[in-house]
Amino acid sequence: MFSLDAPAGGNTATRNPRRRQRTTSDDSLALRQSSKRRKRSFLTPDTFLPPNQLKPNGHLPAIHGAPVSNGHPPEARKHRDVSVDTTSLAIRNRGSKKIDRDRRVSKQEEGVVQTKNDNYIVMQDPNIPDPLRDILSREAWQSEISCSLGHAVATTHYQAIVWCYRHGSSSDVSRPLVIKFPKLALKPVSPSQPLPLGALVHDSGAGEIALLVVMPLSGQLTYWESVKQAANADLVRQKQQVLMGSIGGLLSGEAITRITEAEPDGFILTTSNGRVIHLAVRDPQGRPHISTQYMRSNTTTGKGLLGSITSVFSTGGWRRDIAAVHTGPLQGKFHRMCIVATTQGLFQAWELARHSAKTLLFEVDVRDEVFALLQKSRVRTLREDMKSDFLVLDFALFPESEFDTEEHPSHRLLVLTCVKDDRAGIYNLVDLRIRNGSVEIDVVHPITCYSEGQHPAQNWASFRTQILLPEPAQMAFVIFDKSIVLVSLARIEETPSSQIQIESHTLPDTFQEALHLRQYDHDYHVVGCCAEITGTDPGKAACTLLVHGFGMARITTSPLKEGQSALQRSTVTVKWKMEQAIFYGEMTHNLLDFEPRRSEFRIDGTELEAAALEINHSIMSSSSPYIPAITPSMEHQLELRALALAELIKYASRWSLKLETRWQLLWSAEKMAAAIAIWKAYDAQLSSRKQERETMLLPELLDMINATYKVENRPERGETDIVRHYLIHDIWRIELVIPWAEKAVRELYNEGIRDPATQLSLINQALDIQICSMEAAFAFRTSNADVYGLGKDMMEDGIYQGKYDSLPEPWTSIIETLVNVKQLADASRKMAFDHADTPGSEDGGVDFEIVKKVAADNPRLVHICFQVYDERCRWLKAQTDAQTKAEGDALILEYHQVRRDLILGICDLEMPNEGIKLAERYQDMHALVDVIERSTSQAVERLTEPGLSESDELDYELQIESNRQKVESYFTTYGSKWADVLYSNTIAHGAIADLFDNVGNYQKFLTLYLRGKPEYNKLSWINEVLAEHNYGKAADALMATQKEESSLWSKKIELSMGKLALLAAEEQKPQQVKGDIAIKTIRRVDRRIEMIDIQDKIYAFVRPTLVRALDEDAKFKIAIEEFGLYVTKAMPTLRNIFEQNMAKLVSCEVLDAEDIIDIITLINDGTQHGDDQGFSHQRFFLALKILTLTGLGNLDPGRHELHEKIIWRRCMLNDDWEVLNQTQAKDDKVVARETASTALFQTLKAGFEDGAFDIIQPIPPSAILTAGTTVASLRTSRRYANKSDSALKALAQDLEKEDRMLEDAIEKGRLEMWWKGIVEAAKASAREDADRRGSEMAEMEMVKRKVAARLGLRGNEGEEVYTNGHAHNGVSVDEQGDTLMD
């Protein structure tokens, strides 16, 4: 390995001296040396004539036959180019070497591409030796490149390293030449001192590559005529081979800053104080000799001390900031021109002659003219006060520049200028021509793509901005320390349209682009550069860069395409920028930084999104030129595209993208992930198939897809692999493959492939396609939601939880996928179930391992099915049209049922735990209850099977216990959500006892469940009493239950128990009920019980007649026939009401208050039916009592008044007043008896006895007329508020008939006249009965006192003590005073 202590080539002493040495790697640096006797004898100055190409510091060769810049005549073109192949000069067999040269030229093009597009390519030059990397990584260094020689030199404080970077031979680049500096090699140097400057040249005397090294501060010079000999010699021999000297006249602190080659045998040195020095390394006779001369504007040349002082203080080179020094081509054999430019815009033209005075031809200040022209530019506005910030940074000579000694020489220059403002630098390339004191500006090329960079007033030791202008001068490279700007100088063809654009200032600039070196993770910066030789292609331009921390890079521009204009090439599109960042930015050690700089490149959001989608499609369809369509590994090709998609969103997300665009990019990346998964599954199937002819599903289904939806493969072009062809071109529509996985199985079945083993294999492959692809897609979406700006929190189980209204239909949930995934889940489950007990056979039977895999895959596919359903439901519901929303509603209902069915189906495959996991994941409590119930029942059933093994028995017992523990844990996990479904399922199965027996520690959930379910109030009050002991809640439940109760008996029981619960709650825990509320509730209950008692009386009146009925229908008919005589067919509405109420009465259903009033008042008189309880005498009073119990007098006065009048009217119509009015031949007793038998009398008397008429007054007949006989009068009652006018009109007609009957009674029976007498008679009769009852009670009181006296029972104060019906001292008496025996 290369070592600093052992110079390269030191082992040549061990070789046979008589053996002709072979060409080694060292020959790339110098010509092969002959023996000492013939040293240099066969070499002549013409041997090493260089090509008329670029010179080391970026100067361009002359054209039109002008001499080249290194001092050799044009005839040198006849000789071989030493910079391309120096070793060919020492090889006698030139023909064979030509082949080797071709090989090396091709090697030159090799390297790592950093970026590439239609305009240029940037490549890393691999030709940097590893030993050189080690040296340069340990020490500070700087470098210069000589492209004409194909070599570069790096100088440190102690040594110089020279290597060949152009040749492709590994031996050439593996051995750099290390030259240690004399004197300094053993003496330490301060790291703060500036590094030595080095320059490589072709030495015309020695005929080899020479090296000049200058120490900047001391001015010490060292010149090696042969770098090869210097590297192979030790320090002692180096002293004999080197030429050493120093530069006199340097001021304190002044240092050499730059070396410019000025052949033949000369250099131009510039100092930090702005002085220019000519250095010669040979005397006039051609012998090695170092001499220096300061280039001054005057011709005075002094000798000795006085001359030195004069040269120091002469105005020709004092205190100027030199921007650049460039030399032109040779004029004759020993003359050339030199242009010196200062940063302030002063240009000097010097004539250089070998070993003679250096003459200043002229100088011109271009500052004012250039700045004035820049002010007119519309690119950037320049103020007059900014002139002081105007600087010239560098210039380059155009190839056609004419350097002559005529009276008016002309020189065409490309000048880089900068005007520094507060924000950044304003850079321009100015194409100008200078001639004897004047300047002509041709064109200005504003640099609009770059505005950064270091301040132009750089430190002299740092890298200075340079212009490289390779032939044919169509492209300029502006090299900043951390950026490179490419500017096209191509002339725009003059056309009418371009003329219009010029006049309107709308002509776009020609192509230019800024390339930035990577800084955020590498400190890349340029340390050396040169324009390169591009060969015979006239449209190419190239430059080579030496970058600190990276190595060497080469930028090569592409020529214009045929028919392409300069303007067509000019546009740097958003797509272009994005492609560079996407396809090259991900490289770990890429030289370039592709981060967007908005100050340099304005990007429109719409254009960016369009470009992103276009690039996205090119990646998906493999139409991008940056990704190979065919690679040996399909997986690798897919991963390259996936990486490109990742870089695409990484770059595009720096801008604000629309939600739809982000989704489109995400969906493409998901499809790529799905394609990779499909390929991996397919590749594994190919590797594991047992027979080569085994049917593969993926090629079959791809063949079945219509040609409209794929790029057809063409076998005649070698496209025979349909799977790879589809994955290369059609991934962007891979959503068609997923449903076709199931369709293809059915199609193949229809085509005759029905063998169970083959069918099972096809289903297994279909499962792999759907499961792998969809799982990969949903997983990618979940893990990359943040990357695509959707928010990680917005993803749940791969499903977006945000709004879908602005999104197109998701590819993962198209209707075809939804249907076919569900069908495949069913088909695969059935196939696995059917063959679960079918043993495989060796003769092609069903493979049981595949059966188990198909069964194991079913839960995964079921999960995917749920995801597809969920996403599609969300998307449908978010749409605006009603039809789509309705589809979403229907699909949601279908989804819930499908989810339960598929989860239960997993239990059929004896994988209950997988079903439970899915139910838990989706928190589907209904499915969870069902699957646990089925799992438990299956385990219990299996335990009863005979011949069960102990292990199986243990498994089933563990399953039952596990289910029990899960049931209990779900109360904690899901709370009421779980409890509600569990209890509903228990009640639905009729296991009411289990509901209360197995509550355990979760009583609160049962209580909450029952309290929240009004339909279960009959169970709730039991739970409140038995478990909660909350009688107030029990009363509430009973009260709520009785409201919905239709059974008369049940309603009465519930009311009674509710009253009892209220009393218990008030007594036991007063805080459970409020006193006033309890009292009011109890009173309300009493009223309802009283109304039920009245209905019981009605039923008791009717029941004896119904005994003879055989069924319910017969009861109804008998009741209508016997008790419906009042409501004749002439009153159809009233008869219909009566029949409806009678049907409820016969069925013992609850009648509301108004229905009870109707049936009481419309039923026949009970005298002919054997009324034992006097119901017929009380019924109208009971009707009035019902009306009072309803409280309608306060709630609905109109309704109360209407019913009250109807009751009185029907009460009066119960008797024939025309007959009663015929009193002739009747004594008062008969009349009084007949009157007392009327319903009116009995009702009045009952009311007076009850005290009801103390509050309300009976209504006379005349006040009852017209009650309810019109629709308007019926509308006063809220009972008829919602009835139609036609229905109310029919009812009013029937009531009007009653009203006419009452009018007849008033007119013909004088009812109005009878009214007052009957009222008084009823009141008197009630009073007489009350008096009689009072007398009887007084007599009873006397009897009781006598009995008590006889028995000797007295109170503490001598009063007799008695208790009705209670025992005292073993003796009991009744209300009549009789002794009761035990």
Side-chain angles (χ1 to χ4, degrees):
M1 185 174 177
F2 176 79
S3 173
L4 293 176
D5 298 329
N11 59 352
T12 56
T14 60
R15 297 177 181 175
N16 184 354
R18 296 185 178 181
R19 182 179 178 183
R20 182 174 60 89
Q21 296 183 0
R22 299 180 181 271
T23 302
T24 65
S25 60
D26 297 336
D27 295 334
S28 63
L29 298 172
L31 295 176
R32 181 168 61 94
Q33 300 296 312
S34 62
S35 62
K36 294 181 179 180
R37 292 175 298 174
R38 299 184 57 191
K39 183 176 182 180
R40 300 182 185 176
S41 60
F42 67 100
L43 299 176
T44 66
D46 293 337
T47 304
F48 296 98
L49 291 177
N52 54 349
Q53 297 288 341
L54 302 176
K55 70 185 294 293
N57 287 316
H59 299 162
L60 293 166
I63 60 173
H64 307 303
V68 294
S69 59
N70 59 3
H72 296 278
E75 289 76 8
R77 294 180 180 270
K78 300 177 183 179
H79 298 273
R80 194 172 300 276
D81 183 2
V82 69
S83 66
V84 175
D85 186 20
T86 57
T87 58
S88 62
L89 296 177
I91 302 299
R92 298 178 181 179
N93 188 352
R94 295 179 179 267
S96 61
K97 195 59 186 180
K98 183 177 185 300
I99 300 176
D100 183 65
R101 182 179 68 249
D102 293 340
R103 180 183 63 82
R104 291 187 176 187
V105 170
S106 64
K107 284 270 189 177
Q108 184 179 346
E109 299 300 326
E110 295 180 359
V112 180
V113 177
Q114 306 298 297
T115 187
K116 180 180 180 181
N117 52 53
D118 293 339
N119 286 351
Y120 60 86
I121 180 173
V122 180
M123 299 185 65
Q124 181 180 20
D125 192 336
N127 294 332
I128 293 186
D130 291 336
L132 175 63
R133 295 179 189 272
D134 296 337
I135 296 173
L136 299 184
S137 64
R138 295 193 304 263
E139 304 179 41
W141 60 282
Q142 64 180 6
S143 177
E144 290 290 337
I145 307 173
S146 173
C147 69
S148 61
L149 299 176
H151 287 71
V153 57
T155 55
T156 70
H157 284 297
Y158 302 101
Q159 58 192 353
I161 303 100
V162 181
W163 74 96
C164 173
Y165 69 88
R166 183 176 296 166
H167 290 179
S169 172
S170 60
S171 60
D172 290 336
V173 299
S174 61
R175 295 183 181 180
L177 300 180
V178 179
I179 304 173
K180 294 186 177 181
F181 300 152
K183 298 183 179 179
L184 296 179
L186 301 177
K187 185 173 65 175
V189 177
S190 173
S192 61
Q193 292 185 7
L195 292 166
L197 302 178
L200 294 173
V201 293
H202 176 263
D203 187 84
S204 59
E208 297 189 16
I209 297 176
L211 172 64
L212 171 68
V213 174
V214 179
M215 300 300 171
L217 293 180
S218 64
Q220 182 179 0
L221 304 173
T222 307
Y223 181 74
W224 290 270
E225 292 181 313
S226 172
V227 294
K228 178 184 175 183
Q229 292 183 4
N232 291 334
D234 53 22
L235 294 178
V236 176
R237 294 175 56 191
Q238 273 195 26
K239 293 180 180 180
Q240 303 173 358
Q241 298 174 358
V242 301
L243 193 62
M244 302 179 64
S246 63
I247 302 173
L250 292 178
L251 300 177
S252 175
E254 186 178 19
I256 307 299
T257 59
R258 185 180 302 179
I259 303 175
T260 302
E261 181 185 354
E263 291 183 290
D265 303 324
F267 300 89
I268 300 295
L269 308 181
T270 57
T271 72
S272 57
N273 286 352
R275 296 196 290 173
V276 182
I277 304 171
H278 181 267
L279 168 67
V281 294
R282 292 193 179 275
D283 60 13
Q285 288 74 33
R287 291 171 299 186
H289 176 75
I290 290 180
S291 63
T292 60
Q293 180 181 3
Y294 286 90
M295 298 171 59
R296 302 180 299 276
S297 58
N298 57 355
T299 57
T300 304
T301 58
K303 300 291 184 180
L305 177 61
L306 183 60
S308 299
I309 297 176
T310 303
S311 65
V312 170
F313 292 101
S314 63
T315 60
W318 180 246
R319 297 299 182 188
R320 297 176 302 174
D321 189 1
I322 303 297
V325 177
H326 294 295
T327 57
L330 283 172
Q331 297 175 344
K333 189 172 183 180
F334 300 109
H335 294 267
R336 69 189 316 161
M337 299 299 297
C338 175
I339 305 295
V340 179
T342 68
T343 57
Q344 299 302 313
L346 179 66
F347 285 80
Q348 293 181 337
W350 293 81
E351 180 184 9
L352 305 181
R354 188 173 185 180
H355 310 301
S356 63
K358 311 303 181 282
T359 306
L360 175 64
L361 300 180
F362 64 87
E363 64 180 14
V364 58
D365 191 343
V366 303
R367 178 178 179 178
D368 294 338
E369 289 84 349
V370 172
F371 188 81
L373 185 61
L374 294 180
Q375 282 185 306
K376 297 179 182 179
S377 173
R378 294 179 179 267
V379 179
R380 295 283 294 272
T381 302
L382 298 179
R383 302 183 306 274
E384 187 64 29
D385 60 348
M386 298 174 68
K387 182 184 292 187
S388 59
D389 295 320
F390 173 85
L391 296 171
V392 172
L393 302 183
D394 193 18
F395 71 92
L397 301 172
F398 277 91
E400 67 270 20
S401 294
E402 298 175 359
F403 289 83
D404 50 50
T405 57
E406 299 286 338
E407 183 179 357
H408 301 291
S410 174
H411 314 286
R412 186 182 175 194
L413 311 177
L414 184 64
V415 182
L416 175 63
T417 67
C418 174
V419 179
K420 199 72 174 180
D421 64 3
D422 297 335
R423 294 173 296 175
I426 303 173
Y427 297 94
N428 293 274
L429 289 177
V430 183
D431 185 347
L432 56 82
R433 188 180 297 272
I434 58 175
R435 58 178 81 228
N436 198 19
S438 64
V439 58
E440 298 177 4
I441 301 176
D442 187 7
V443 65
V444 174
H445 300 276
I447 299 179
T448 58
C449 65
Y450 181 83
S451 60
E452 300 177 6
Q454 60 190 14
H455 194 281
Q458 307 163 29
N459 183 277
W460 60 267
S462 64
F463 178 82
R464 285 180 176 266
T465 302
Q466 299 183 32
I467 302 176
L468 303 181
L469 192 61
E471 281 192 24
Q474 298 295 308
M475 184 72 69
F477 299 90
V478 182
I479 314 298
F480 296 90
D481 64 331
K482 297 178 181 179
S483 301
I484 300 95
V485 178
L486 283 66
V487 181
S488 174
L489 306 179
R491 296 282 182 176
I492 298 176
E493 182 180 357
E494 293 188 3
T495 61
S497 60
S498 64
Q499 287 292 338
I500 295 174
Q501 288 178 312
I502 293 174
E503 293 174 0
S504 60
H505 302 284
T506 59
L507 184 68
D509 295 330
T510 55
F511 165 78
Q512 58 178 260
E513 185 174 5
L515 307 179
H516 301 281
L517 304 188
R518 200 161 173 172
Q519 300 296 317
Y520 56 88
D521 57 352
H522 296 84
D523 184 21
Y524 290 155
H525 55 272
V526 179
V527 294
C529 63
C530 73
E532 271 291 348
I533 301 170
T534 57
T536 59
D537 194 334
K540 283 188 177 182
C543 70
T544 297
L545 308 174
L546 185 58
V547 181
H548 185 278
F550 177 80
M552 303 196 74
R554 179 184 174 97
I555 304 175
T556 305
T557 62
S558 303
L560 291 174
K561 298 179 181 178
E562 185 176 355
Q564 185 182 27
S565 67
L567 285 179
Q568 290 173 333
R569 186 183 192 174
S570 63
T571 305
V572 177
T573 63
V574 175
K575 179 186 175 185
W576 183 347
K577 283 283 187 180
M578 293 180 70
E579 285 178 331
Q580 305 308 302
I582 292 165
F583 296 106
Y584 297 105
E586 80 281 359
M587 295 172 58
T588 305
H589 299 289
N590 196 301
L591 171 66
L592 302 178
D593 178 11
F594 298 98
E595 291 291 326
R597 285 170 168 78
R598 305 191 182 194
S599 60
E600 301 174 3
F601 190 75
R602 302 294 179 183
I603 297 180
D604 177 68
T606 303
E607 184 182 1
L608 174 84
E609 292 186 343
L613 293 176
E614 186 178 352
I615 295 172
N616 174 75
H617 182 72
S618 69
I619 296 171
M620 297 297 291
S621 59
S622 294
S623 58
S624 172
Y626 300 99
I627 296 178
I630 300 177
T631 61
S633 171
M634 187 70 238
E635 181 179 349
H636 176 64
Q637 200 264 359
L638 293 172
E639 289 176 347
L640 285 178
R641 293 157 70 186
L643 179 61
L645 292 174
E647 292 298 321
L648 171 60
I649 186 60
K650 180 180 177 182
Y651 185 90
S653 60
R654 293 175 172 86
W655 286 264
S656 178
L657 300 177
K658 295 179 182 176
L659 180 63
E660 181 179 352
T661 302
R662 279 180 274 147
W663 270 107
Q664 292 288 358
L665 298 177
L666 174 60
W667 285 339
S668 294
E670 292 172 4
K671 291 178 181 180
M672 188 62 66
I676 293 174
I678 289 176
W679 171 256
K680 288 181 178 179
Y682 176 69
D683 195 41
Q685 291 165 3
L686 288 176
S687 302
S688 62
R689 60 178 175 172
K690 298 179 179 180
Q691 299 178 2
E692 192 170 336
R693 288 191 171 186
E694 182 178 343
T695 304
M696 302 301 295
L697 181 64
L698 186 57
E700 295 288 344
L701 76 85
L702 292 177
D703 186 58
M704 293 178 188
I705 293 177
N706 191 285
T708 308
Y709 304 106
K710 64 182 179 182
V711 177
E712 286 282 1
N713 58 319
R714 291 174 289 182
E716 66 274 10
R717 295 182 58 180
E719 299 170 351
T720 57
D721 191 335
I722 189 172
V723 176
R724 285 181 169 86
H725 187 79
Y726 186 90
L727 294 178
I728 290 171
H729 299 288
D730 294 302
I731 289 180
W732 58 279
R733 43 191 170 190
I734 201 172
E735 64 269 18
L736 302 177
V737 172
I738 297 168
W740 263 102
E742 188 273 337
K743 289 182 183 179
V745 175
R746 285 189 281 114
E747 290 292 329
L748 292 173
Y749 181 85
N750 295 332
E751 292 176 4
I753 301 179
R754 302 182 179 181
D755 174 59
T758 304
Q759 276 288 303
L760 184 65
S761 174
L762 293 175
I763 286 181
N764 178 45
Q765 296 180 52
L767 286 171
D768 286 345
I769 292 173
Q770 288 193 352
I771 292 175
C772 294
S773 60
M774 297 298 286
E775 283 184 345
F778 285 123
F780 184 90
R781 182 182 301 173
T782 301
S783 59
N784 291 274
D786 273 348
V787 177
Y788 287 83
L790 303 178
K792 189 175 182 180
D793 296 338
M794 298 300 292
M795 289 295 172
E796 183 176 337
D797 196 28
I799 305 302
Y800 183 56
Q801 305 298 310
K803 297 181 180 180
Y804 284 79
D805 51 350
S806 62
L807 299 182
E809 185 178 19
W811 76 276
T812 46
S813 58
I814 60 176
I815 187 62
E816 292 84 0
T817 299
L818 183 142
V819 172
N820 292 105
V821 168
K822 165 67 167 55
Q823 291 179 350
L824 184 60
D826 291 335
S828 62
R829 183 182 65 253
K830 184 178 183 302
M831 178 69 74
F833 183 80
D834 292 343
H835 296 283
D837 299 327
T838 303
S841 61
E842 298 179 356
D843 56 351
V846 173
D847 190 341
F848 191 66
E849 292 299 323
I850 297 181
V851 174
K852 291 194 295 184
K853 180 182 179 300
V854 170
D857 284 343
N858 189 257
R860 296 170 64 190
L861 188 62
V862 167
H863 177 213
I864 292 171
C865 183
F866 295 165
Q867 291 174 297
V868 175
Y869 263 100
D870 188 5
E871 184 175 59
R872 184 158 188 83
C873 289
R874 292 174 183 270
W875 182 78
L876 290 175
K877 289 290 292 180
Q879 304 312 301
T880 56
D881 59 295
Q883 182 179 354
T884 307
K885 285 181 175 291
E887 291 178 9
D889 293 332
L891 190 64
I892 289 174
L893 297 177
E894 177 186 333
Y895 171 40
H896 291 161
Q897 186 60 46
V898 166
R899 189 166 63 191
R900 294 178 66 179
D901 294 342
L902 291 179
I903 289 177
L904 288 176
I906 296 175
C907 288
D908 296 337
L909 299 176
E910 296 190 357
M911 292 187 294
N913 291 331
E914 299 299 326
I916 291 172
K917 289 179 182 178
L918 281 175
E920 290 174 347
R921 177 190 289 267
Y922 287 91
Q923 297 188 14
D924 189 336
M925 299 299 106
H926 293 280
L928 192 56
V929 169
D930 290 343
V931 73
I932 287 182
E933 180 184 356
R934 178 172 294 189
S935 170
T936 303
S937 62
Q938 287 178 346
V940 172
E941 183 180 352
R942 292 291 191 274
L943 288 174
T944 61
E945 294 179 356
L948 194 67
S949 65
E950 292 183 1
S951 60
D952 290 341
E953 181 178 354
L954 179 60
D955 289 341
Y956 290 130
E957 290 176 350
L958 291 175
Q959 183 67 51
I960 295 172
E961 177 61 21
S962 174
N963 290 349
R964 186 191 65 77
Q965 293 177 359
K966 281 186 172 67
V967 168
E968 293 185 358
S969 67
Y970 292 153
F971 282 101
T972 303
T973 305
Y974 304 116
S976 297
K977 188 177 180 181
W978 159 257
D980 292 353
V981 179
L982 177 65
Y983 294 143
S984 297
N985 188 71
T986 303
I987 294 173
H989 287 77
I992 305 299
D994 294 340
L995 194 67
F996 296 106
D997 293 343
N998 300 323
V999 174
N1001 298 325
Y1002 306 101
Q1003 175 63 44
K1004 64 177 182 179
F1005 293 106
L1006 178 60
T1007 300
L1008 290 174
Y1009 170 75
L1010 293 175
R1011 288 177 180 177
K1013 297 287 184 180
E1015 62 271 23
Y1016 296 143
N1017 279 328
K1018 290 184 179 181
L1019 298 175
S1020 180
W1021 76 268
I1022 299 174
N1023 178 70
E1024 298 293 348
V1025 172
L1026 297 179
E1028 298 293 338
H1029 305 294
N1030 191 330
Y1031 299 109
K1033 290 292 184 181
D1036 293 340
L1038 287 166
M1039 291 297 103
T1041 300
Q1042 62 85 25
K1043 290 181 181 179
E1044 307 298 330
E1045 188 60 68
S1046 61
S1047 172
L1048 184 65
W1049 181 85
S1050 299
K1051 187 178 184 72
K1052 186 175 182 178
I1053 296 299
E1054 289 162 357
L1055 284 169
S1056 301
M1057 296 183 67
K1059 178 180 178 181
L1060 182 62
L1062 282 170
L1063 293 172
E1066 188 176 14
E1067 180 180 352
Q1068 184 177 9
K1069 293 183 179 180
Q1071 68 273 15
Q1072 291 185 357
V1073 292
K1074 295 182 179 180
D1076 294 340
I1077 297 176
I1079 293 173
K1080 292 180 181 179
T1081 304
I1082 291 173
R1083 289 175 180 174
R1084 188 166 57 250
V1085 170
D1086 289 339
R1087 290 196 295 269
R1088 290 176 182 174
I1089 292 175
E1090 191 171 355
M1091 284 190 286
I1092 291 174
D1093 289 340
I1094 293 173
Q1095 183 176 344
D1096 280 338
K1097 290 180 180 181
I1098 303 173
Y1099 182 75
F1101 173 71
V1102 175
R1103 183 174 56 187
T1105 310
L1106 306 178
V1107 175
R1108 66 178 185 270
L1110 298 178
D1111 54 22
E1112 296 297 324
D1113 291 339
K1115 286 182 181 182
F1116 174 71
K1117 291 179 181 180
I1118 292 173
I1120 296 299
E1121 292 173 358
E1122 294 291 335
F1123 301 101
L1125 299 179
Y1126 174 80
V1127 282
T1128 63
K1129 294 182 179 180
M1131 295 184 288
T1133 304
L1134 289 176
R1135 183 174 181 85
N1136 184 44
I1137 293 173
F1138 177 77
E1139 289 179 353
Q1140 291 177 0
N1141 293 333
M1142 183 57 73
K1144 292 182 178 180
L1145 180 67
V1146 170
S1147 302
C1148 295
E1149 296 182 15
V1150 178
L1151 294 170
D1152 61 27
E1154 291 163 313
D1155 290 337
I1156 295 175
I1157 292 173
D1158 283 336
I1159 199 168
I1160 287 179
T1161 57
L1162 294 176
I1163 202 171
N1164 287 350
D1165 196 348
T1167 56
Q1168 68 269 31
H1169 300 294
D1171 183 10
D1172 296 333
Q1173 299 179 359
F1175 170 76
S1176 59
H1177 297 282
Q1178 298 177 354
R1179 62 191 180 100
F1180 291 104
F1181 173 72
L1182 293 176
L1184 290 171
K1185 193 171 185 179
I1186 288 287
L1187 186 61
T1188 303
L1189 292 173
T1190 58
L1192 289 176
N1194 296 324
L1195 299 176
D1196 192 350
R1199 189 174 181 179
H1200 182 276
E1201 181 182 357
L1202 177 62
H1203 285 292
E1204 185 179 16
K1205 290 181 177 181
I1206 291 174
I1207 292 172
W1208 282 111
R1209 183 168 61 197
R1210 290 174 183 170
C1211 175
M1212 296 174 185
L1213 292 177
N1214 190 68
D1215 298 288
D1216 189 350
W1217 290 100
E1218 188 175 351
V1219 175
L1220 290 173
N1221 188 51
Q1222 298 175 3
T1223 58
Q1224 63 273 16
K1226 295 180 181 179
D1227 56 22
D1228 287 344
K1229 290 183 178 180
V1230 174
V1231 174
R1233 185 172 61 250
E1234 290 179 351
T1235 303
S1237 66
T1238 62
L1240 178 60
F1241 181 88
Q1242 295 294 333
T1243 302
L1244 289 169
K1245 181 181 179 180
F1248 286 124
E1249 289 177 347
D1250 186 70
F1253 295 153
D1254 295 339
I1255 301 174
I1256 60 173
Q1257 295 297 320
I1259 303 175
S1262 58
I1264 298 173
L1265 291 174
T1266 69
T1269 57
T1270 63
V1271 174
S1273 63
L1274 291 174
R1275 290 288 186 194
T1276 59
S1277 172
R1278 280 189 280 180
R1279 184 187 188 191
Y1280 304 114
N1282 298 324
K1283 296 288 185 179
S1284 63
D1285 289 343
S1286 59
L1288 292 182
K1289 186 177 181 181
L1291 177 60
Q1293 290 174 354
D1294 288 356
L1295 295 176
E1296 187 179 5
K1297 293 175 183 177
E1298 288 185 341
D1299 200 63
R1300 287 197 296 268
M1301 293 168 61
L1302 181 60
E1303 289 177 353
D1304 290 344
I1306 293 173
E1307 293 177 2
K1308 297 178 181 181
R1310 297 189 301 172
L1311 178 58
E1312 186 69 28
M1313 298 177 65
W1314 282 97
W1315 166 257
K1316 292 182 179 180
I1318 293 174
V1319 171
E1320 293 299 327
K1323 186 183 297 185
S1325 177
R1327 189 180 299 114
E1328 289 175 0
D1329 289 347
D1331 292 343
R1332 186 177 61 254
R1333 286 194 297 272
S1335 300
E1336 291 175 354
M1337 291 180 66
E1339 292 177 1
M1340 177 64 70
E1341 190 72 20
M1342 291 300 295
V1343 171
K1344 290 179 179 180
R1345 289 178 180 274
K1346 290 178 181 180
V1347 171
R1350 185 169 54 236
L1351 295 175
L1353 300 175
R1354 296 182 179 275
N1356 294 333
E1357 298 179 359
E1359 296 181 354
E1360 295 179 353
V1361 180
Y1362 58 91
T1363 304
N1364 295 336
H1366 292 276
H1368 295 272
N1369 298 327
V1371 180
S1372 299
V1373 296
D1374 60 11
E1375 294 179 355
Q1376 287 76 29
D1378 297 329
T1379 301
L1380 301 177
M1381 303 301 293
D1382 293 339

